[in-house]
Amino acid sequence: MKKIEAVIRGNKLDQVEKALGNIGISGITVSQVLGWGRQKGNITEVYRGTEISVRLLPKVKLEVIVDDEDSEKVQEAIRQNAHTGAHGDGVLWVTPVEDFMRIRTGEIFLD
Ligand SMILES: Nc1ncnc2c1ncn2[C@@H]1O[C@H](COP(=O)(O)OP(=O)(O)OP(=O)(O)O)[C@@H](O)[C@H]1O
Ligand SMILES: [Mg+2]
């Protein structure tokens, strides 16, 4: 299994989440986060209609655990749906997951 984490624009969350729902993932975790990328707040970004140049910009982070064979499909769905082409579209990264347990049933999915 893999964990795909993506930091995206908050206003892309709906679209990304719907796209992921359509390709049949079993769950998703969403957090509100603060961060910066390569521009480090040296340029301003438009957030909710206002130009801001603070160093820590509000973003949304997604976490999805998927089977290895679904990893590329999920990465591609995030990329396509989070993309605007402007600085600040975000980043994603993938890490291996050893165990995943569904608490209700105790089912354990080993890597
Ligand atoms: N190396 C990193 N490690 C952890 N989080 C990162 C990293 N780079 C970017 N992020 C997160 O992604 C958010 C958006 O980053 P951003 O899209 O501006 O990346 P970038 O590398 O500057 O690319 P771009 O040139 O397209 O803006 C940041 O606010 C931060 O939360
Ligand atoms: Mg940037």
Side-chain angles (χ1 to χ4, degrees):
M1 282 164 295
K2 304 286 191 209
K3 174 166 73 169
I4 300 166
E5 290 171 83
V7 178
I8 64 168
R9 298 180 191 278
N11 64 10
K12 285 290 191 176
L13 175 61
D14 267 8
Q15 190 185 330
V16 170
E17 199 202 324
K18 281 188 186 114
L20 294 179
N22 289 338
I23 59 175
I25 59 167
S26 68
I28 187 170
T29 298
V30 177
S31 322
Q32 292 183 298
V33 296
L34 298 172
W36 51 261
R38 291 178 300 182
Q39 289 78 28
K40 293 192 175 67
N42 293 328
I43 62 156
T44 55
E45 277 195 20
V46 179
Y47 176 68
R48 293 191 174 162
T50 313
E51 285 229 322
I52 49 177
S53 60
V54 291
R55 288 197 170 269
L56 290 168
L57 297 168
K59 299 282 175 181
V60 165
K61 188 168 103 164
L62 313 177
E63 294 174 70
V64 194
I65 313 299
V66 297
D67 289 330
D68 287 7
E69 58 265 32
D70 294 329
S71 176
E72 273 184 32
K73 181 171 69 175
V74 169
Q75 290 175 55
E76 192 52 21
I78 294 170
R79 191 191 67 75
Q80 282 177 10
N81 289 284
H83 180 268
T84 70
H87 288 299
D89 275 354
V91 293
L92 70 76
W93 60 93
V94 182
T95 50
V97 170
E98 285 186 11
D99 298 341
F100 178 93
M101 184 201 287
R102 176 154 293 108
I103 291 173
R104 176 178 62 86
T105 58
E107 291 165 279
I108 296 175
F109 301 84
L110 300 172
D111 189 29

